[in-house]
């Protein structure tokens, strides 16, 4: 969905690490989106997305519910987050992805562990170990930046309450209901009955509504101060 949305917006995407569950599902996906205004729009996707559907193996027609957590982080520059090389443990291994024989026969995949925080980032998308390490460092820097931002946001929690949720990973923000073909965003109580179209990356209407609501709340708060 997000890759297709990025294509429609003229953004560039770079896959970092994609791992499957082995049963046709996806366990985790990490990728970078580049383009003017990308973060200001996609930040509203952070949170818990709930999916309600009837699996093909469900003979009784019962609806099953699953969730996926989305985190959207701004890419941090080295001047924003300084990482001590001594705090990083680097492991290399053979890629298990779909990169072809040239990837799978060399130790090109990289795993970085930030010892002070325990954060772990892996990257196996590139054939080059150096390129994979560079991508992994960019993701690690973004995650460390997020930790610092969360600390800062706690200090201004009163202001945060006036905003549409844009970062709390534990917040259930949206439900995708397959039987009814609808998407409901719980932060603004907006429902769209075009599920397939939405999953094809046509999410601009929802994002625009979230931006408008967020700006309205912020203006209202400013007027009350």
């Amino acid at each position: 969905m997000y890759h297709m949305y990025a294509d429609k917006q003229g953004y560039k995407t770079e896959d970092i690490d994609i791992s499957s569950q082995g049963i046709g599902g996806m366990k985790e996906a990490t990728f970078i989106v580049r383009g003017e205004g990308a973060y200001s729009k996609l930040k509203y996707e952070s949170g818990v997305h709930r999916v309600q559907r009837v699996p093909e193996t469900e003979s009784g027609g019962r609806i099953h519910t699953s969730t996926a957590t989305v985190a959207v982080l701004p890419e941090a520059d080295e001047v924003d987050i300084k990482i001590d090389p001594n705090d990083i443990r680097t492991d290399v291994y053979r890629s298990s992805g779909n990169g072809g024989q040239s990837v799978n026969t060399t130790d090109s995949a990289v795993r970085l562990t930030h010892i002070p925080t325990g954060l772990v980032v892996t990257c196996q998308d590139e054939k080059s170990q150096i390129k994979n390490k560079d991508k992994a460092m960019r993701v690690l820097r973004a995650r460390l930046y997020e930790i610092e931002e969360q600390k800062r946001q706690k200090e201004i929690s009163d202001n945060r309450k006036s905003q549409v949720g844009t970062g709390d990973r534990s917040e259930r923000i949206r439900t995708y209901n397959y039987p009814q073909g609808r998407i409901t965003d719980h932060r603004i109580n907006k429902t769209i009955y075009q599920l397939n179209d939405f999953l094809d990356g046509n999410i601009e209407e929802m994002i625009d509504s979230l931006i408008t609501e967020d700006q309205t709340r912020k203006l209202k708060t400013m007027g009350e101060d």
Side-chain angles (χ1 to χ4, degrees), residues 50-53 63 175-184 195:
R50 183 176 66 171
V51 177
Q52 296 175 324
R53 62 188 181 90
I63 296 177
T175 295
Y176 303 76
N177 187 296
Y178 277 74
Q180 297 179 16
R182 65 172 170 82
I183 315 100
T184 299
L195 179 59

Side-chain angles (χ1 to χ4, degrees), residues 6 10-14 32-38 75 134 138:
Y11 300 152
K12 302 295 183 182
T13 59
E14 296 178 53
I32 294 173
V33 179
R34 292 189 178 279
E36 185 177 352
E75 185 170 2
D134 178 64
R138 286 155 62 187

Side-chain angles (χ1 to χ4, degrees), residues 21 40 43 49 52 54 58 75 81 87 93 102 118-119 131 136 150 153 168 196 209 214:
Q21 292 181 320
S40 64
K43 66 180 181 180
H49 295 239
Q52 296 175 324
V54 179
E58 176 55 66
E75 185 170 2
I81 294 293
D87 289 340
Y93 57 98
S102 60
L119 285 175
K131 290 182 178 179
Q150 288 177 342
Q153 289 291 350
D168 186 351
N196 290 334
S209 296
D214 195 21

Side-chain angles (χ1 to χ4, degrees), residues 148-159:
E148 293 302 315
E149 274 295 289
Q150 288 177 342
K151 291 179 181 177
R152 188 178 70 85
Q153 289 291 350
K154 287 181 179 180
E155 298 176 358
I156 55 174
S157 58
D158 290 341
N159 180 56

Side-chain angles (χ1 to χ4, degrees), residues 200-214:
D200 283 339
N202 295 304
I203 63 177
E204 190 72 13
E205 179 184 345
M206 187 70 81
I207 289 179
D208 285 346
S209 296
L210 287 161
I211 292 174
T212 299
E213 178 66 18
D214 195 21

Side-chain angles (χ1 to χ4, degrees), residues 162 212-224:
S162 69
T212 299
E213 178 66 18
D214 195 21
Q215 292 176 341
T216 299
R217 293 188 187 185
K218 289 177 180 177
L219 289 172
K220 182 179 179 181
T221 301
M222 291 174 60
E224 294 174 350

Side-chain angles (χ1 to χ4, degrees), residues 67-210:
T67 60
T69 301
V70 175
V72 181
L73 315 176
E75 185 170 2
D77 295 327
E78 291 187 36
V79 295
D80 298 321
I81 294 293
K82 295 186 182 298
I83 301 177
D84 187 338
N86 295 322
D87 289 340
I88 301 293
R89 184 175 73 244
T90 303
D91 300 303
V92 296
Y93 57 98
R94 292 189 179 182
S95 169
S96 59
N98 298 319
Q101 290 183 338
S102 60
V103 173
N104 296 325
T105 58
T106 60
D107 291 333
S108 59
V110 174
R111 179 189 301 108
L112 300 181
T113 302
H114 186 248
I115 299 172
T117 61
L119 285 175
V120 178
V121 176
T122 61
C123 183
Q124 58 180 350
D125 184 62
E126 300 284 351
K127 297 178 182 179
S128 164
Q129 183 184 122
I130 294 175
K131 290 182 178 179
N132 279 330
K133 184 175 181 180
D134 178 64
K135 282 188 174 183
M137 280 295 294
R138 286 155 62 187
V139 174
L140 177 60
R141 192 175 292 113
R143 291 182 177 174
L144 290 172
Y145 181 79
E146 181 194 28
I147 291 175
E148 293 302 315
E149 274 295 289
Q150 288 177 342
K151 291 179 181 177
R152 188 178 70 85
Q153 289 291 350
K154 287 181 179 180
E155 298 176 358
I156 55 174
S157 58
D158 290 341
N159 180 56
R160 188 176 177 84
K161 291 177 183 177
S162 69
Q163 300 178 17
V164 171
T166 56
D168 186 351
R169 296 188 196 180
S170 65
E171 179 185 5
R172 191 191 73 187
I173 64 170
R174 191 177 297 152
T175 295
Y176 303 76
N177 187 296
Y178 277 74
Q180 297 179 16
R182 65 172 170 82
I183 315 100
T184 299
D185 196 290
H186 305 291
R187 295 165 295 181
I188 56 177
N189 295 319
K190 181 179 179 66
T191 297
I192 297 175
Y193 288 92
Q194 295 175 324
L195 179 59
N196 290 334
D197 197 42
F198 196 88
L199 295 177
D200 283 339
N202 295 304
I203 63 177
E204 190 72 13
E205 179 184 345
M206 187 70 81
I207 289 179
D208 285 346
S209 296
L210 287 161

